[in-house]
């Protein structure tokens, strides 16, 4: 994405577009630009600011071909842009509407006024024809706080558009356009209860799904359609289930809500526990039974949310479960109960599941120095990426000499993510050690023997290709001073 918007790439694209002569290729080029509104906006900004068209291109700016008019609308000369806008309005075309929308935020008032008047007339006359072409670039410039006029016109046009047009726009391939239509429809009450239910399951983002679910549940409460609430309570989306269960609570259907005590979502479990309290159900007893007999991740999480740290020993046998998801849930539950011990977590650093290893490292981080350094150095050379990442995370909590050694070893790791993090940490240590910019106290204390200094020098030589020259020089000086 960044390369596509790089100045060199934009300049090359503009020159290629300017050289297009064949009508079919020109239409395809315009369609391609409209399909990527982000690139179109960036292309317009670059063309007006930095692109200097060749003489041949400049001579063709008077041509009435759609692609030439589109390029002329991005010219740095305001008079050329104004003539381009006039050409767009003389022979309106859906292909040129995105470029017309861009000119509604032009800094030159004559260009801006003519484009705004023309866009308003086009949308007033034929909203169904031009809305689909204008909305993608309108939502893009709205994000840049330059689309106030275009957004207002889109809203006005949608208010008079037919339901068929609105539903066609909802199927747009552009997520921002779909989100714009759905939000507007929710604000203005366009969607039927059945459409709201469908939107609750398949909306473009969580916020819209939640809003649709709230509207659907509100309608169901008014119409006493408890079946809708039951249906939404079984949604695959936790935010929708939470809204539906809130509706069931308001209808007095607490027993149905209690059935969700072992829901995967924390908010849903909280709602279910509140309903259990009102109905006299002991939620903790249910969780305790599940942990002892048939543990599942939601039940383990619910137990941790309800029990006290005194009951944490019930979770320790789950750390040896044959199911990785149960071991993961047990580690997280122990962290939530603040009942983590080094003795229970250290064996999990060698777990076959990478997620278990990561969770164990997260749990051990506050007590990292209680872990055997020899074990961590062994794990830092382990073939498993997750184990190397976990050991490195714990070693960085050790004194600066050990943390620096770990960083120099991991800076050339085969795992790009680990290597990048180690390089950043080593650079930070180098800057802390040499720059006169310490806010509190002096540089970190580096207490090493001559033998340890030689080892760090050797590691620094090996990691030098992965580090900047300044970092290498700073560390070399720091190590020499520490040994001497």
């Amino acid at each position: 994405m960044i390369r596509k918007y790089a100045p060199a790439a934009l300049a090359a694209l503009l020159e290629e577009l300017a050289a297009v002569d064949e009508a079919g290729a020109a239409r395809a080029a315009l369609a391609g630009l409209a399909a990527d509104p982000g690139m179109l906006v960036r292309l317009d900004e670059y063309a007006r600011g930095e692109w200097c068209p060749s003489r041949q291109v400049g001579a063709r700016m008077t041509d009435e071909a759609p692609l030439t008019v589109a390029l002329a609308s991005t010219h740095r000369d305001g008079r050329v842009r104004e003539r381009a806008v006039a050409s767009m309005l003389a022979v309106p075309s859906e292909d040129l509407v995105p470029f017309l929308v861009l000119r509604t935020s032009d800094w030159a008032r004559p260009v801006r006024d003519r484009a705004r008047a023309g866009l308003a007339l086009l949308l007033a006359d034929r909203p169904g024809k031009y809305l689909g072409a204008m909305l993608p670039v309108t939502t893009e410039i709205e994000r840049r706080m330059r689309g106030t006029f275009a957004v207002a016109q889109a809203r006005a046009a949608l208010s008079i558009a037919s339901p068929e047009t609105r539903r066609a726009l909802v199927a747009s391939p552009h997520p921002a356009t779909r989100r714009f239509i759905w939000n507007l429809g929710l604000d203005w009450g366009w969607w039927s209860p059945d459409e709201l239910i469908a939107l609750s399951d398949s909306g473009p983002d969580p916020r819209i799904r939640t809003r649709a679910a709230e509207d659907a549940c509100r309608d169901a409460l008014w119409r006493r359609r408890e079946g809708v609430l039951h249906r939404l309570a079984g949604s695959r989306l936790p935010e929708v289930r939470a809204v539906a269960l809130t509706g069931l609570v308001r209808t007095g259907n607490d027993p149905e809500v209690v059935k969700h005590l072992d829901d995967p979502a924390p908010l849903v479990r909280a709602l279910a526990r509140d309903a259990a309290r009102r109905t006299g159900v002991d939620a903790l007893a249910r969780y305790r039974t599940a942990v002892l007999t048939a543990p599942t991740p939601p039940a383990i999480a619910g137990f941790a949310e309800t029990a006290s740290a005194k009951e944490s020993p019930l979770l320790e046998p789950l750390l040896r479960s044959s199911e990785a998801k149960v071991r993961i849930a047990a580690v997280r539950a122990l962290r939530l109960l603040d009942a983590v011990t080094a003795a229970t977590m250290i064996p999990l650093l060698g777990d076959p599941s990478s997620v278990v290893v990561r969770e164990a490292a997260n749990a051990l981080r506050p007590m990292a120095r209680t872990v055997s350094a020899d074990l961590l150095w062994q794990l830092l050379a382990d073939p498993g990426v997750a184990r190397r990442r976990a050991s490195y995370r714990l070693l960085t909590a050790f004194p600066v000499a050990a943390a620096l050694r770990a960083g120099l070893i991991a800076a050339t790791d085969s795992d790009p993510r680990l290597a990048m993090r180690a390089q950043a940490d080593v650079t930070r240590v180098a800057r802390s050690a040499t720059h006169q910019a310490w806010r509190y106290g002096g540089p970190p204390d580096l207490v090493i023997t001559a033998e340890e200094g030689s080892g760090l020098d050797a590691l620094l030589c090996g990691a030098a290709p992965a580090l900047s020259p300044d970092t290498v020089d700073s560390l070399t000086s720091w190590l020499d001073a520490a040994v001497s």
Side-chain angles (χ1 to χ4, degrees):
M1 189 67 69
I2 294 176
R3 291 180 180 177
K4 181 172 66 174
Y5 296 164
L10 294 173
L13 177 58
L14 284 165
E15 291 295 338
E16 289 178 11
L17 292 173
V20 173
D21 289 322
E22 199 268 325
R27 285 194 299 272
L30 287 171
L33 292 173
D36 191 344
M39 183 181 68
L40 179 58
V41 173
R42 183 67 186 91
L43 193 74
D44 175 65
E45 293 172 348
Y46 175 80
R48 287 183 290 108
E50 301 182 39
W51 184 51
C52 184
S54 61
R55 276 185 194 173
Q56 181 182 3
V57 175
R60 293 179 56 206
M61 287 298 183
T62 58
D63 193 351
E64 297 298 323
L67 182 56
T68 303
V69 172
L71 290 176
S73 72
T74 68
H75 199 277
R76 65 177 60 181
D77 189 334
R79 290 180 293 271
V80 175
R81 296 199 304 276
E82 187 176 7
R83 290 198 300 271
V85 169
S87 297
M88 291 180 192
L89 298 176
V91 184
S93 167
E94 293 176 64
D95 294 334
L96 294 176
V97 165
F99 295 89
L100 183 63
V101 172
L102 291 176
R103 298 282 63 81
T104 60
S105 60
D106 199 284
W107 69 78
R109 184 170 181 175
V111 179
R112 185 173 64 246
D113 289 348
R114 176 169 279 193
R116 290 181 173 185
L119 181 65
L121 290 174
L122 291 179
L123 292 175
D125 290 341
R126 303 188 66 179
K129 180 177 180 181
Y130 296 113
L131 271 170
M134 77 161 291
L135 279 175
V137 70
T138 297
T139 53
E140 182 65 29
I141 63 175
E142 180 188 23
R143 292 169 50 198
R144 299 164 186 253
M145 296 183 291
R146 297 206 323 258
T148 304
F149 178 85
V151 169
Q153 292 303 309
R155 287 173 174 267
L158 284 165
S159 69
I160 62 173
S162 65
E164 293 75 17
T165 297
R166 296 168 187 163
R167 289 181 174 82
L169 292 172
V170 165
S172 168
H174 301 283
T177 297
R178 296 196 302 270
R179 192 174 297 114
F180 182 85
I181 301 297
W182 280 122
N183 269 322
L184 202 59
L186 290 171
D187 289 339
W188 292 355
W190 289 345
W191 316 120
S192 68
D194 290 340
E195 288 174 321
L196 290 173
I197 294 171
L199 180 58
S200 300
D201 283 332
S202 58
D205 60 39
R207 182 175 298 179
I208 289 182
R209 291 195 296 264
T210 304
R211 284 195 61 194
E214 289 173 350
D215 289 356
C217 290
R218 188 180 300 112
D219 179 80
L221 285 171
W222 278 105
R223 297 170 183 263
R224 299 185 181 277
R225 297 173 62 192
E226 287 193 19
V228 172
L229 298 176
H230 288 290
R231 175 181 171 183
L232 292 177
S235 170
R236 62 185 177 84
L237 304 170
E239 62 269 20
V240 174
R241 294 199 301 275
V243 172
L245 291 179
T246 303
L248 287 172
V249 167
R250 298 187 69 175
T251 63
N253 204 338
D254 283 335
E256 180 68 23
V257 180
V258 173
K259 295 179 182 179
H260 293 262
L261 277 171
D262 58 350
D263 192 277
L267 177 58
V268 176
R269 290 196 299 270
L271 290 170
R273 287 196 296 272
D274 189 54
R277 178 185 54 79
R278 286 193 298 271
T279 55
V281 174
D282 189 344
L284 176 57
R286 287 199 180 186
Y287 287 137
R288 189 184 296 116
T289 301
V291 166
L292 292 173
T293 58
T296 61
I300 296 169
F303 177 78
E305 292 162 351
T306 312
S308 65
K310 294 179 181 179
E311 298 197 62
S312 61
L314 295 179
L315 296 170
E316 293 181 4
L318 303 183
L319 298 175
R320 298 182 292 275
S321 171
S322 59
E323 297 184 45
K325 61 182 181 181
V326 173
R327 300 196 299 274
I328 295 166
V331 174
R332 291 173 178 171
L334 287 169
R335 288 186 67 194
L336 186 62
L337 289 170
D338 196 20
V340 173
T341 62
T344 57
M345 291 296 122
I346 289 175
L348 296 179
L349 293 176
D351 195 275
S353 168
S354 60
V355 182
V356 174
V357 174
R358 184 183 69 224
E359 292 295 332
N362 290 338
L364 285 168
R365 174 71 177 178
M367 56 186 78
R369 297 193 186 189
T370 64
V371 183
S372 168
D374 292 338
L375 172 63
L376 295 179
W377 292 121
Q378 292 174 12
L379 291 175
L380 192 58
D382 193 274
V385 173
R387 296 175 187 176
R388 297 201 303 276
R389 288 180 181 175
S391 63
Y392 178 77
R393 177 169 171 76
L394 295 175
L395 283 167
T396 55
F398 276 59
V400 65
L404 178 59
R405 177 186 170 190
L408 293 174
I409 292 173
T412 56
D413 195 272
S414 58
D415 175 42
R417 179 177 167 186
L418 176 56
M420 186 178 299
R421 178 175 178 179
Q423 291 161 17
D425 288 343
V426 170
T427 301
R428 177 181 52 78
V429 171
R431 289 176 178 171
S432 299
T434 58
H435 286 198
Q436 302 297 321
W438 309 298
R439 183 171 298 178
Y440 303 108
D445 293 328
L446 182 63
V447 181
I448 55 175
T449 64
E451 183 180 355
E452 290 171 336
S454 298
L456 288 174
D457 280 333
L459 290 174
L460 180 58
C461 290
L467 304 172
S468 68
D470 290 343
T471 298
V472 174
D473 292 342
S474 298
L475 288 176
T476 301
S477 302
W478 191 40
L479 291 174
D480 290 343
V483 173
S484 61

